[in-house]
Amino acid sequence: MKFTGRIIGIRKFKNIIFIKLVNIIKSIQVVIKNKVTYLSKFLKLGFIIKVSGKNKSTKTGEKSIFCRNIKLLSKCEGFPNKYFKNIDKEFSYRNRYIDLVINKKTRDTFNLRFKIIKQIRIFFYKKKFIEVETPILNNTYSGAEAKPFITKNNFMKKNNYLRISPELQLKKLIVGGYKKIFEIGKNFRNESSSKMHNPEFSMVEYYYINKNYIDIMNLTKELISKVTINTLGKNIINYKKNIINISKYEILNIDQAVIKYSGINNISKDFLIKNIKGKILSKKKKNLLYQYFEENITKKIIKPTFIIGQPKIFSPLALKKNGKVERFELYISGMEIANGFSELNNPKEQLKRFKKQKKEYDKDFIKALKFGMPKTAGCGIGIDRLVMLISNCSNIKDVILFPFMK
């Protein structure tokens, strides 16, 4: 048997050296019975070596390689002297290459992350979706409510923006004739980082013509369930102290969710204003109710729950119906995992909503809508949060290889 890895443990016992070798996939013990004196001076923690020998168990039953040949591939400087378990989180985030070597949980988490992304792709490929690419650098910013990163284009002598969302570009492709598309990529929001937020994050967005928000809701449910089963081998997720059946979902409108999780049946406008912590964004009760829901209720939703009935003011790109919009937000264990809706395809109404927001908007998107976009539904899923959920990690920094650090 041959194995290449990095030394993270050396132990001598009489005339035998026991070495613990790790690579990104697995770890194994190497047993060396000859040249002990020479090798004990030669081999150090952190060295990368290649060994070959017979694979068998020691007297204690541990599977090991009984070394016949050993070759040094790389020396190492700066291997941590601290006992591995005492290395703090900040050190791990700032030195991910060391963290990956010494922390099996980190390796397992990222191997699971990449498996999740692979399963997302497989799901859409099987559904005959086409994977597309849209630009990260844009002339305007739109597609979501967030502050953009601004960068200077020296050649054009103008500002460009890192995308907040690929939504508008993807819908232009729907106008161009694509029927089922998805994109996995990076988005950027110029905001603070926290356990739930990173300024650079990964999303999958997908669009399907001749469908509405109920159709895309069912597709989203199927996607998350299959990805979970194909990565964990079961539809049960253990997240923090909660046991979550990822195949069972509830649908609640805003009013029902507020009543269910606040325990208050008759919520007045005065109550909402008094209990909203952030800046009051609207004086209308239905909008205050949504703001109260976002601030106070979302963290209480543990069971997979689709929230519907959002007000138009907070959903400028969603199709309006019966005074509300055809939109859903998926919450699991207090986290917003997905956001989807029936797409607004009326250029006059879209322009009116953009102007009401009183900020820069993508004029080319309005031009595309005038060209004609079929009935469409779309959704975006935060990959980082989905990985947090499936891997039982409570901090987004634990599922991003190189998280943003101050």
Side-chain angles (χ1 to χ4, degrees), residues 342-358:
S342 302
E343 305 295 337
L344 176 60
N345 60 351
N346 183 322
K348 291 182 180 180
E349 173 66 16
Q350 187 66 81
L351 180 59
K352 181 181 175 182
R353 293 195 199 178
F354 278 160
K355 287 183 175 180
K356 196 169 183 179
Q357 287 182 298
K358 296 179 181 179

Side-chain angles (χ1 to χ4, degrees), residues 199-213:
E200 176 185 357
F201 59 99
S202 299
M203 285 191 73
V204 54
E205 288 208 21
Y206 43 101
Y207 293 83
Y208 197 166
I209 72 166
N210 297 326
K211 302 294 179 182
N212 62 23
Y213 78 119

Side-chain angles (χ1 to χ4, degrees), residues 120-171:
I120 291 172
R121 282 196 164 94
I122 289 172
F123 176 85
F124 283 115
Y125 291 157
K126 286 184 176 179
K127 296 284 186 182
K128 308 299 182 186
F129 277 70
I130 295 174
E131 185 172 11
V132 298
E133 295 176 306
T134 60
I136 288 175
L137 196 63
N138 291 283
N139 292 323
T140 59
Y141 69 93
S142 54
E145 284 290 331
K147 293 181 181 179
F149 282 95
I150 304 172
T151 183
K152 182 78 173 181
N153 187 320
N154 293 328
F155 179 74
M156 300 295 290
K157 296 182 179 179
K158 61 182 290 190
N159 285 338
N160 288 143
Y161 306 91
L162 298 184
R163 72 179 180 198
I164 295 172
S165 165
E167 180 175 346
L168 301 192
Q169 305 289 14
L170 290 169
K171 286 193 278 193

Side-chain angles (χ1 to χ4, degrees), residues 313-372:
I313 189 174
F314 298 113
S315 313
L317 294 161
L319 189 66
K320 181 181 176 182
K321 186 177 182 181
N322 299 327
K324 296 182 179 179
V325 290
E326 294 190 354
R327 178 187 173 190
F328 68 81
E329 295 167 285
L330 174 61
Y331 289 91
I332 306 175
S333 197
M335 294 190 290
E336 181 185 349
I337 301 296
N339 181 25
F341 38 85
S342 302
E343 305 295 337
L344 176 60
N345 60 351
N346 183 322
K348 291 182 180 180
E349 173 66 16
Q350 187 66 81
L351 180 59
K352 181 181 175 182
R353 293 195 199 178
F354 278 160
K355 287 183 175 180
K356 196 169 183 179
Q357 287 182 298
K358 296 179 181 179
K359 68 175 186 178
E360 187 176 354
Y361 62 89
D362 188 341
K363 295 179 177 62
D364 187 57
F365 177 62
I366 299 298
K367 181 181 174 183
L369 287 185
K370 288 179 180 179
F371 196 71

Side-chain angles (χ1 to χ4, degrees), residues 64-121:
S64 307
I65 297 176
F66 282 72
C67 183
R68 290 177 181 171
N69 295 294
I70 184 168
K71 182 179 181 181
L72 175 66
L73 300 180
S74 178
K75 292 185 178 181
C76 171
E77 294 182 13
F79 197 84
N81 293 322
K82 295 181 183 179
Y83 183 60
F84 299 159
K85 290 184 179 179
N86 292 331
I87 292 176
D88 59 56
K89 283 287 187 181
E90 184 167 343
F91 179 89
S92 298
Y93 299 147
R94 293 185 184 277
N95 302 273
R96 186 65 86 188
Y97 51 95
I98 296 177
D99 184 34
L100 286 165
V101 169
I102 65 179
N103 194 334
K104 182 179 184 300
K105 188 178 188 314
T106 300
R107 296 194 298 274
D108 290 345
T109 296
F110 286 104
N111 288 337
L112 182 60
R113 177 190 175 98
F114 303 136
K115 190 175 180 181
I116 288 168
I117 294 172
K118 179 181 178 181
Q119 288 300 321
I120 291 172
R121 282 196 164 94

